[in-house]
Amino acid sequence: MKILALDSSGLVASVAVVEDETLLAEYTVNYKKTHSQTLLPMLDEVAKMIELDLQSIDAIAVAGGPGSFTGLRIGSATAKGLGLALDKPLISVPTVDAIAYNLYGCEANICPMMDARREQVYTGIYSFSHGTTFITKCPQKPAAVEEIIQELNLLGKEAVFLGDGVPVYQELIQKIIQVPYWFAPANLNRQRASSVAVLAMRYFKEGKTETAAEHKPDYLRLSQAERERAEQLKKVR
């Protein structure tokens, strides 16, 4: 089975191709450029480097949200376009789940944090049982940092943090966390399309696929423009 995976849900843009148990290629960039500038050129470069015939892939995986509204739209549009052109199924992988999967085998509580602005993060709590079974203790959600830290404190088990929200809220984390903790290293602490691809393989085997026409991002909350419009409507009423 061969999976092409895309992740443009946050600051990082990442493209990967995984075939069975082998990572054939991964191209990840985290540097001051919009995903509209980087994602398709990255995909083209990966395809050239491994002489990839796009018709040979079995499915297209995409980080389906939450995350940056613009980034998710770009990733979704790219995946949908490829799916329609190649007549391949899509596999939408929850973004926070995929970040947690970077720490495969970790039995501590894994807490990804994506900065969601307004002093909130997209987050969840995960772990691996016996090194291989992926457990979701708290599904991905938008939450205040204090809220998710208190949940970790109540669980009473050591925790590891990763994601682009960590440097933003690191001081607050250190102030209120009451269990042993650490921060994931640079090679594991951001989005990776290879993690999206490996999780997608599991979903594919479980029949969790969709057509390109069916796919849409899961934002988990309203966009800033939608929130502002709702606030204006409340004032009018």
Side-chain angles (χ1 to χ4, degrees):
M1 184 186 302
K2 188 182 292 182
I3 301 285
L4 167 65
L6 311 171
D7 193 330
S8 58
S9 59
L11 299 174
V12 172
S14 187
V15 177
V17 180
V18 172
E19 184 172 16
D20 298 325
E21 301 301 318
T22 302
L23 173 60
L24 299 180
E26 184 171 33
Y27 190 165
T28 301
V29 174
N30 183 14
Y31 186 78
K32 300 179 184 177
K33 289 187 178 180
T34 65
H35 298 320
S36 60
Q37 293 175 293
T38 57
L39 199 61
L40 281 174
M42 290 165 60
L43 172 57
D44 185 56
E45 188 64 26
V46 164
K48 288 178 181 176
M49 288 295 290
I50 63 173
E51 299 177 347
L52 176 66
D53 176 3
L54 288 173
Q55 284 292 348
S56 71
I57 64 175
D58 295 288
I60 299 156
V62 61
S68 156
F69 283 77
T70 301
L72 289 174
R73 289 188 185 107
I74 291 169
S76 175
T78 303
K80 285 168 74 75
L82 288 168
L84 288 168
L86 300 169
D87 192 25
K88 301 292 182 180
L90 265 60
I91 305 167
S92 182
V93 176
T95 305
V96 180
D97 293 29
I99 298 173
Y101 214 76
N102 288 357
L103 302 184
Y104 182 87
C106 178
E107 296 189 7
N109 284 327
I110 303 167
C111 185
M113 288 185 174
M114 297 177 65
D115 186 16
R117 309 286 177 86
R118 295 193 172 195
E119 299 184 354
Q120 284 203 330
V121 289
Y122 296 121
T123 187
I125 301 173
Y126 308 83
S127 68
F128 286 86
S129 176
H130 302 102
T132 58
T133 303
F134 189 47
I135 298 172
T136 300
K137 296 184 175 180
C138 171
Q140 63 176 24
K141 64 179 181 178
V145 176
E146 292 92 337
E147 176 188 334
I148 197 67
I149 297 299
Q150 290 305 325
E151 289 184 40
L152 289 167
N153 287 339
L154 288 172
L155 288 171
K157 186 178 180 181
E158 60 186 0
V160 55
F161 297 93
L162 69 166
D164 60 35
V166 171
V168 179
Y169 300 107
Q170 184 168 336
E171 288 186 8
L172 179 58
I173 293 168
Q174 293 172 319
K175 182 178 179 181
I176 61 179
I177 191 75
Q178 296 173 2
V179 296
Y181 69 94
W182 70 94
F183 300 110
N187 61 316
L188 298 172
N189 68 9
R190 295 293 189 273
Q191 285 90 335
R192 295 189 62 177
S194 55
S195 292
V196 174
V198 174
L199 261 180
M201 283 200 173
R202 290 181 47 183
Y203 294 161
F204 187 92
K205 292 172 182 176
E206 294 169 3
K208 297 178 181 178
T209 64
E210 58 189 352
T211 66
E214 291 171 329
H215 173 73
K216 59 182 180 179
D218 183 8
Y219 298 114
L220 284 191
R221 69 178 192 179
L222 297 175
S223 68
Q224 182 176 345
E226 290 169 321
R227 292 195 302 270
E228 290 174 354
R229 182 173 182 274
E231 289 170 4
Q232 288 298 323
L233 288 173
K234 286 181 182 178
K235 291 178 181 178
V236 170
R237 292 171 185 171

